[in-house]
Amino acid sequence: ILNVEQSPQSLHVQEGDSTNFTCSFPSSNFYALHWYRWETAKSPEALFVMTLNGDEKKKGRISATLNTKEGYSYLYIKGSQPEDSATYLCAFLMDSNYQLIWGAGTKLIIKP
Amino acid sequence: ETGVTQTPRHLVMGMTNKKSLKCEQHLGHNAMYWYKQSAKKPLELMFVYSLEERVENNSVPSRFSPECPNSSHLFLHLHTLQPEDSALYLCASSQGAYQGGNQPQHFGDGTRLSIL
C-alpha cells in the first residue's frame, strides 16, 4: 500500500513568522510530486508540480524543495500572513500511473 | 474562478433517491476526475476519464455511476446511496491524456452531499 504522510497534521503560526512542513512519499518509482493549497469553502489550488530531484520552486513567499532519493518534500512559507491560513496538500505520482496518491494535509492557522 | 464548475453546491437526499452531480470545465483539458473527500481523510480518487474514456475505476460501488459525454462535461449519477456516502465530492480536470505527471489538476468547489 502506497502512503503519503504529511506532518504536522496542524500548525499554529504567529503572523510574520516563517514556517515549514513536510510531505513524505515512497522513494521508488518517483514520477512527480504535487503541492496544493485548500482554503476553507474554496477549491484546492495547485501551487507546484515537482519532477526532478533537488528541484526548488518558488511562488511569492512560498517555496518547496524535493528530495526523491529519500522521499520527502518541504514546503516553506516566509513571513506568514492571515491569507496563508489553509490546508496544504501534497500528492505523489508513481511512474506514469493515472492516480495521484494524496496526503491528509497540514492545516495551517496564522494567528494575527 | 478556477474554470471548473460543479453543481449543485449542496445536496441532501434520501437513500432511495436518484440524483446527479454535474461538472463542467472551461479550460480545454482532456482529462477529468471525480474525488471523494470524507472528514479527516485524504482525497480518494473515484473515477478518471481521459479523452472521454474511463481509464480508472477505484473499486467504487455501483451505486455511483459516472458519465462523460464530452471532454468538457462529467456527471456522477447517484442511486440508493448509504449514509456513509455523505462527503464532499470534488471534480477536477487536467491537461494531457492521463494524469500528465507534471500537469496540475484544477478543481471545482465541490458538492457537499448529505444522505438522510
Side-chain angles (χ1 to χ4, degrees):
Chain A
I1 295 177
L2 296 173
N3 261 337
V4 174
E5 302 287 340
Q6 289 190 249
S7 63
Q9 201 170 32
S10 65
L11 189 55
H12 289 72
V13 174
Q14 196 68 42
E15 182 178 352
D17 287 352
S18 297
T19 187
N20 65 84
F21 29 92
T22 308
C23 173
S24 301
F25 52 85
S27 55
S28 57
N29 304 112
F30 175 87
Y31 195 86
L33 193 281
H34 293 221
W35 279 103
Y36 292 80
R37 173 171 59 201
W38 194 358
E39 294 179 66
T40 303
K42 293 188 177 181
S43 55
E45 173 200 356
L47 288 173
F48 306 112
V49 179
M50 308 178 81
T51 56
L52 297 174
N53 184 42
D55 222 357
E56 186 168 339
K57 296 212 171 183
K58 192 174 179 183
K59 187 175 184 178
R61 294 178 292 99
I62 303 177
S63 61
T65 60
L66 179 67
N67 184 325
T68 61
K69 294 187 188 309
E70 294 181 44
Y72 65 84
S73 175
Y74 292 134
L75 192 80
Y76 299 90
I77 301 179
K78 187 177 175 183
S80 303
Q81 300 297 308
E83 60 265 29
D84 296 328
S85 294
T87 296
Y88 290 81
L89 302 173
C90 70
F92 164 75
L93 187 67
M94 183 179 73
D95 292 328
S96 56
N97 196 309
Y98 302 135
Q99 182 167 187
L100 282 172
I101 310 297
W102 293 81
T106 292
K107 184 172 183 177
L108 177 66
I109 298 165
I110 307 300
K111 299 178 289 184
Chain B
E1 179 59 52
T2 65
V4 180
T5 304
Q6 287 187 246
T7 54
R9 290 294 303 274
H10 302 272
L11 179 61
V12 180
M13 57 188 284
M15 289 193 283
T16 58
N17 291 159
K18 283 184 184 180
K19 295 284 184 184
S20 295
L21 310 185
K22 180 183 175 182
C23 176
E24 185 175 357
Q25 58 98 0
H26 310 276
L27 300 167
H29 292 165
N30 50 23
M32 296 187 77
Y33 315 83
W34 279 118
Y35 285 96
K36 176 183 179 183
Q37 212 268 321
S38 304
K40 300 194 186 298
K41 284 188 174 182
L43 287 175
E44 298 173 51
L45 180 67
M46 300 175 74
F47 302 104
V48 181
Y49 275 83
S50 173
L51 300 170
E52 300 146 45
E53 182 181 330
R54 193 191 309 179
V55 293
E56 194 79 28
N57 176 353
N58 274 0
S59 303
V60 179
S62 59
R63 56 186 184 268
F64 294 92
S65 173
E67 179 191 359
C68 186
N70 55 63
S71 60
S72 298
H73 293 86
L74 185 65
F75 295 90
L76 189 63
H77 303 299
L78 315 172
H79 176 49
T80 323
L81 294 194
Q82 303 299 308
E84 62 264 29
D85 297 323
S86 296
L88 180 70
Y89 289 83
L90 285 166
C91 171
S93 70
S94 70
Q95 187 65 299
Y98 305 117
Q99 295 261 345
N102 58 354
Q103 300 302 316
Q105 293 188 10
H106 296 253
F107 286 84
D109 290 335
T111 295
R112 176 70 62 187
L113 177 65
S114 299
I115 306 301
L116 301 177

